[in-house]
Amino acid sequence: LSIALADRVREERALREEAQQHALAVEHAAREELEQAVDDRTRELNDAMVQLQAANEQLEQLSNVDGLTSVHNRRFFDNMLEEYWTESEKDDSDLSLILFDVDHFKQVNDIHGHLLGDECLKAIAGCIHEVMDSHDHVLARYGGEEFAAILPGVDGNRAAELAEAVRMAVAKLKIRFEDREISVKISAGVAGRKDRVDSALQLVNWADHALYQAKETGRNRICRYG
């Protein structure tokens, strides 16, 4: 009887140990499965966050770009002008602004249609950007047929030279659409931060005043404030 009871105890102990090992194995497998599920979910969330960030960055870029000409829009121009103005004041460095306006653009639309007018704006935007490519600049569509170029580190004299180079380059453009080909001309007003200008808003006003002077004195010309 003692031997039988001892065997019975050993069997019970073995069964309990086997059950415990099985339970531990099941628990370990469940833990690994849970950890894997958490890792997978974390990876999915990280991927989703990266995609969301990329989408937000793309949306931000699109919100700063003019849909027709692919240069920056007025909103981006206003923000960047304030930033560059603050930096130039802090460093006492040069900063210039050029405002371009297409001469007689309403006639282009009235005579040739808005589609050809759109081609003109795209061609002019590309031409301005190409001429200024060697300089740090921000080019934006300022209004309907107006463009604005911010030129950090460039004084008023050099900005006027660049504006003249743009004017000459635009005058040579042959803009084609379907069976039509036209040429256009532009006027520009130039102002520099060191030309007795006290604020970013005043810089815009002086450049606009110079542009108005260019328009009033015959168009197809560059005028500089100061």
XYZ file of all heavy atoms in Angstrom, residues 78-131:
434
model
N 3.888 86.750 -48.788
C 3.717 87.602 -47.604
C 4.491 87.054 -46.409
O 5.142 87.812 -45.678
C 2.228 87.711 -47.254
C 1.457 88.537 -48.274
O 2.084 89.331 -48.999
O 0.225 88.376 -48.350
N 4.420 85.737 -46.215
C 5.127 85.123 -45.077
C 6.640 85.237 -45.230
O 7.357 85.578 -44.276
C 4.730 83.653 -44.941
C 3.288 83.477 -44.517
O 2.707 84.364 -43.894
N 2.690 82.347 -44.854
N 7.140 84.953 -46.431
C 8.579 84.956 -46.648
C 9.154 86.366 -46.614
O 10.279 86.569 -46.153
C 8.923 84.287 -47.979
C 8.645 82.791 -48.012
S 9.477 81.898 -46.672
C 11.200 82.208 -47.048
N 8.403 87.349 -47.088
C 8.905 88.719 -47.064
C 9.131 89.171 -45.624
O 10.142 89.811 -45.316
C 7.926 89.659 -47.766
C 8.363 91.124 -47.823
C 9.687 91.265 -48.577
C 7.284 91.983 -48.475
N 8.212 88.840 -44.739
C 8.379 89.197 -43.326
C 9.613 88.514 -42.731
O 10.371 89.127 -41.971
C 7.128 88.813 -42.540
C 5.923 89.704 -42.796
C 6.119 91.118 -42.286
O 6.981 91.331 -41.412
O 5.403 92.022 -42.770
N 9.801 87.237 -43.073
C 10.970 86.509 -42.557
C 12.267 87.116 -43.068
O 13.208 87.357 -42.289
C 10.885 85.030 -42.970
C 9.824 84.238 -42.227
C 9.903 82.761 -42.550
O 10.974 82.314 -43.035
O 8.911 82.057 -42.319
N 12.339 87.372 -44.361
C 13.562 87.949 -44.929
C 13.806 89.360 -44.404
O 14.955 89.767 -44.203
C 13.485 87.962 -46.455
C 13.839 86.639 -47.100
C 12.933 85.989 -47.937
C 15.076 86.045 -46.885
C 13.258 84.777 -48.527
C 15.413 84.841 -47.476
C 14.494 84.206 -48.301
O 14.819 83.018 -48.878
N 12.723 90.113 -44.197
C 12.890 91.463 -43.665
C 13.495 91.417 -42.268
O 14.414 92.174 -41.949
C 11.548 92.188 -43.644
C 11.668 93.564 -43.059
C 11.486 93.928 -41.756
C 12.054 94.746 -43.761
N 11.716 95.270 -41.600
C 12.072 95.792 -42.809
C 12.374 95.025 -45.083
C 12.399 97.101 -43.163
C 12.698 96.321 -45.428
C 12.715 97.337 -44.474
N 12.974 90.526 -41.433
C 13.496 90.391 -40.069
C 14.970 90.000 -40.080
O 15.786 90.549 -39.330
C 12.685 89.335 -39.295
O 11.307 89.741 -39.245
C 13.211 89.179 -37.873
N 15.336 89.052 -40.941
C 16.733 88.622 -41.035
C 17.631 89.753 -41.532
O 18.739 89.951 -41.015
C 16.847 87.416 -41.970
C 16.223 86.145 -41.416
C 16.300 85.000 -42.414
O 16.901 85.188 -43.496
O 15.758 83.922 -42.112
N 17.176 90.489 -42.527
C 18.008 91.563 -43.085
C 18.197 92.697 -42.086
O 19.263 93.321 -42.045
C 17.388 92.097 -44.383
O 16.153 92.739 -44.124
N 17.160 92.976 -41.295
C 17.313 93.989 -40.255
C 18.293 93.537 -39.189
O 19.122 94.308 -38.713
C 15.950 94.277 -39.613
C 15.123 95.298 -40.353
C 14.025 95.862 -39.477
O 13.376 95.090 -38.754
O 13.835 97.086 -39.501
N 18.199 92.266 -38.809
C 19.081 91.723 -37.780
C 20.535 91.753 -38.230
O 21.442 92.104 -37.453
C 18.663 90.291 -37.452
C 19.518 89.615 -36.398
C 19.038 88.191 -36.159
C 19.927 87.474 -35.142
N 19.474 86.071 -34.904
N 20.787 91.387 -39.491
C 22.156 91.326 -40.012
C 22.577 92.620 -40.711
O 23.726 92.731 -41.151
C 22.281 90.167 -41.014
C 21.917 88.827 -40.402
O 22.041 88.693 -39.173
O 21.502 87.927 -41.146
N 21.625 93.559 -40.852
C 21.856 94.778 -41.623
C 22.354 94.435 -43.030
O 23.290 95.049 -43.547
C 22.856 95.698 -40.920
C 22.858 97.092 -41.535
O 21.806 97.503 -42.061
O 23.912 97.754 -41.509
N 21.694 93.452 -43.635
C 22.065 93.006 -44.980
C 21.094 93.563 -46.006
O 20.012 94.058 -45.673
C 22.074 91.481 -45.048
O 20.803 90.961 -44.685
N 21.473 93.464 -47.268
C 20.631 93.969 -48.353
C 19.417 93.066 -48.560
O 19.464 91.852 -48.329
C 21.434 94.043 -49.657
C 22.381 95.235 -49.680
O 21.909 96.367 -49.477
O 23.589 95.019 -49.877
N 18.364 93.689 -49.010
C 17.144 92.979 -49.384
C 16.408 93.847 -50.395
O 16.165 95.026 -50.148
C 16.251 92.732 -48.165
C 14.898 92.067 -48.447
C 15.101 90.612 -48.881
C 13.995 92.121 -47.220
N 16.070 93.244 -51.533
C 15.375 94.004 -52.573
C 14.102 93.292 -52.998
O 13.958 92.076 -52.837
C 16.282 94.208 -53.797
O 17.370 95.054 -53.477
N 13.207 94.082 -53.548
C 11.923 93.562 -54.034
C 11.669 94.113 -55.426
O 11.863 95.304 -55.681
C 10.792 93.984 -53.091
C 9.371 93.621 -53.535
C 9.186 92.106 -53.559
C 8.343 94.271 -52.622
N 11.248 93.229 -56.319
C 10.868 93.628 -57.675
C 9.416 93.225 -57.898
O 9.039 92.079 -57.652
C 11.748 92.963 -58.751
C 13.231 93.161 -58.463
C 11.393 93.504 -60.131
C 14.140 92.383 -59.416
N 8.614 94.176 -58.369
C 7.246 93.891 -58.782
C 7.168 93.997 -60.306
O 7.532 95.036 -60.875
C 6.260 94.863 -58.140
C 6.074 94.768 -56.621
C 5.049 95.803 -56.156
C 5.640 93.368 -56.214
N 6.728 92.922 -60.948
C 6.578 92.885 -62.402
C 5.092 92.930 -62.759
O 4.261 92.347 -62.063
C 7.168 91.601 -62.990
C 8.643 91.422 -62.777
C 9.113 90.665 -61.715
C 9.556 91.996 -63.640
C 10.469 90.475 -61.519
C 10.928 91.820 -63.453
C 11.378 91.062 -62.390
N 4.793 93.592 -63.863
C 3.415 93.621 -64.347
C 3.434 93.492 -65.866
O 4.230 94.159 -66.552
C 2.729 94.935 -63.946
C 1.256 94.936 -64.297
O 0.465 94.427 -63.492
O 0.908 95.428 -65.380
N 2.578 92.631 -66.403
C 2.518 92.427 -67.854
C 1.789 93.603 -68.489
O 0.653 93.927 -68.099
C 1.804 91.108 -68.192
C 1.857 90.847 -69.704
C 2.428 89.944 -67.425
N 2.418 94.223 -69.454
C 1.824 95.389 -70.109
C 0.631 94.981 -70.982
O 0.707 93.987 -71.734
C 2.869 96.096 -70.980
C 3.991 96.695 -70.149
O 3.749 97.020 -68.968
O 5.118 96.825 -70.680
N -0.446 95.742 -70.881
C -1.640 95.551 -71.721
C -2.144 94.109 -71.699
O -2.574 93.577 -72.732
C -1.334 95.966 -73.169
C -0.846 97.385 -73.303
N -1.613 98.484 -72.982
C 0.367 97.863 -73.709
C -0.911 99.588 -73.197
N 0.284 99.251 -73.635
N -2.124 93.503 -70.539
C -2.517 92.089 -70.466
C -4.014 91.905 -70.725
O -4.434 90.879 -71.266
C -2.141 91.508 -69.100
C -2.339 90.032 -69.005
C -1.543 89.156 -69.735
C -3.337 89.495 -68.204
C -1.723 87.788 -69.655
C -3.536 88.122 -68.123
C -2.722 87.260 -68.847
N -4.814 92.873 -70.369
C -6.250 92.768 -70.634
C -6.509 92.648 -72.127
O -7.401 91.890 -72.565
C -6.980 93.984 -70.068
C -8.506 93.898 -70.187
C -9.177 95.096 -69.562
C -10.699 94.963 -69.611
N -11.211 94.829 -70.984
N -5.736 93.366 -72.931
C -5.899 93.267 -74.382
C -5.547 91.872 -74.885
O -6.178 91.358 -75.815
C -5.031 94.311 -75.079
C -5.449 95.749 -74.811
C -4.570 96.752 -75.534
O -3.815 96.393 -76.443
N -4.660 98.019 -75.134
N -4.528 91.264 -74.282
C -4.161 89.895 -74.666
C -5.337 88.968 -74.443
O -5.704 88.162 -75.315
C -2.932 89.412 -73.858
C -2.656 87.934 -74.152
C -1.710 90.244 -74.192
N -5.963 89.053 -73.284
C -7.121 88.199 -72.992
C -8.299 88.519 -73.898
O -8.985 87.611 -74.395
C -7.533 88.365 -71.530
C -6.629 87.610 -70.577
O -6.061 86.585 -70.917
N -6.483 88.129 -69.369
N -8.546 89.825 -74.121
C -9.705 90.217 -74.931
C -9.547 89.811 -76.389
O -10.517 89.397 -77.041
C -9.920 91.733 -74.839
C -10.387 92.165 -73.454
O -10.830 91.286 -72.686
O -10.299 93.370 -73.147
N -8.335 89.939 -76.912
C -8.107 89.670 -78.341
C -7.842 88.187 -78.601
O -8.388 87.592 -79.536
C -6.928 90.520 -78.868
C -7.263 92.007 -78.779
C -6.585 90.140 -80.309
C -6.103 92.931 -79.092
N -7.016 87.584 -77.773
C -6.571 86.216 -78.047
C -7.222 85.159 -77.145
O -7.045 83.961 -77.386
C -5.050 86.134 -77.892
C -4.307 87.067 -78.787
N -4.140 86.825 -80.138
C -3.674 88.253 -78.534
C -3.443 87.817 -80.679
N -3.146 88.692 -79.727
N -7.897 85.589 -76.113
C -8.559 84.628 -75.235
C -7.743 84.327 -73.986
O -6.522 84.501 -73.948
N -8.450 83.841 -72.981
C -7.804 83.605 -71.683
C -6.832 82.428 -71.719
O -5.880 82.394 -70.929
C -8.864 83.370 -70.609
C -9.605 84.624 -70.240
N -9.141 85.515 -69.307
C -10.769 85.151 -70.717
C -9.981 86.531 -69.191
N -10.979 86.327 -70.037
N -7.044 81.475 -72.596
C -6.118 80.338 -72.647
C -4.733 80.780 -73.103
O -3.718 80.352 -72.533
C -6.668 79.242 -73.577
C -7.932 78.544 -73.083
C -8.401 77.510 -74.104
C -7.689 77.870 -71.738
N -4.683 81.633 -74.100
C -3.388 82.169 -74.526
C -2.829 83.091 -73.449
O -1.614 83.134 -73.210
C -3.520 82.907 -75.852
C -2.219 83.468 -76.448
C -1.159 82.380 -76.551
C -2.475 84.084 -77.820
N -3.723 83.829 -72.782
C -3.267 84.653 -71.661
C -2.618 83.820 -70.575
O -1.592 84.202 -70.000
N -3.203 82.662 -70.287
C -2.605 81.761 -69.293
C -1.231 81.282 -69.738
O -0.300 81.180 -68.928
C -3.518 80.547 -69.065
C -4.789 80.909 -68.315
O -4.858 82.020 -67.766
O -5.711 80.068 -68.286
N -1.088 80.980 -71.017
C 0.221 80.559 -71.534
C 1.250 81.675 -71.382
O 2.424 81.420 -71.102
C 0.100 80.149 -73.015
C -0.696 78.882 -73.251
C -0.095 77.682 -72.538
O 1.138 77.511 -72.586
O -0.864 76.924 -71.920
N 0.815 82.915 -71.544
C 1.714 84.055 -71.350
C 2.224 84.102 -69.919
O 3.430 84.270 -69.670
C 0.992 85.354 -71.677
S 0.706 85.646 -73.429
N 1.319 83.963 -68.968
C 1.712 84.028 -67.561
C 2.675 82.904 -67.202
O 3.652 83.125 -66.471
C 0.465 83.967 -66.674
C -0.491 85.155 -66.781
C -1.714 84.930 -65.904
C 0.204 86.457 -66.400
N 2.435 81.724 -67.708
C 3.334 80.598 -67.422
C 4.712 80.832 -68.034
O 5.737 80.555 -67.399
C 2.722 79.291 -67.946
C 1.518 78.821 -67.141
C 1.073 77.428 -67.533
C 0.281 77.444 -68.806
N -0.321 76.112 -69.110
N 4.730 81.339 -69.265
C 6.011 81.591 -69.930
C 6.798 82.687 -69.215
O 8.016 82.591 -69.036
C 5.772 81.972 -71.389
N 6.109 83.738 -68.785
C 6.777 84.845 -68.100
C 7.325 84.387 -66.755
O 8.454 84.736 -66.375
C 5.804 86.026 -67.929
C 5.513 86.648 -69.291
C 6.391 87.073 -66.987
C 4.375 87.643 -69.283
N 6.543 83.605 -66.023
C 7.018 83.084 -64.735
C 8.291 82.261 -64.919
O 9.257 82.401 -64.156
C 5.930 82.237 -64.074
N 8.306 81.412 -65.938
C 9.498 80.613 -66.212
C 10.680 81.462 -66.607
O 11.822 81.189 -66.216
N 10.425 82.509 -67.353
C 11.496 83.402 -67.800
C 12.112 84.150 -66.619
O 13.336 84.253 -66.503
C 10.932 84.382 -68.821
S 12.174 85.446 -69.581
N 11.278 84.681 -65.728
C 11.789 85.395 -64.550
C 12.642 84.464 -63.704
O 13.747 84.820 -63.264
C 10.631 85.960 -63.707
C 9.823 86.974 -64.511
C 11.163 86.605 -62.428
C 8.553 87.445 -63.822
N 12.125 83.273 -63.473
C 12.858 82.307 -62.644
C 14.195 81.946 -63.275
O 15.211 81.839 -62.577
C 12.008 81.061 -62.454
C 12.645 80.033 -61.577
N 12.795 80.195 -60.216
C 13.199 78.819 -61.868
C 13.400 79.140 -59.706
N 13.659 78.305 -60.686
N 14.220 81.789 -64.585
C 15.461 81.417 -65.270
C 16.504 82.527 -65.177
O 17.682 82.263 -64.934
C 15.164 81.097 -66.735
C 16.372 80.623 -67.510
C 16.048 80.231 -68.936
O 14.843 80.185 -69.284
O 16.989 79.967 -69.717
N 16.092 83.766 -65.360
C 17.028 84.886 -65.294
C 17.617 85.015 -63.894
O 18.806 85.316 -63.726
C 16.330 86.196 -65.710
C 17.228 87.393 -65.425
C 15.958 86.157 -67.190
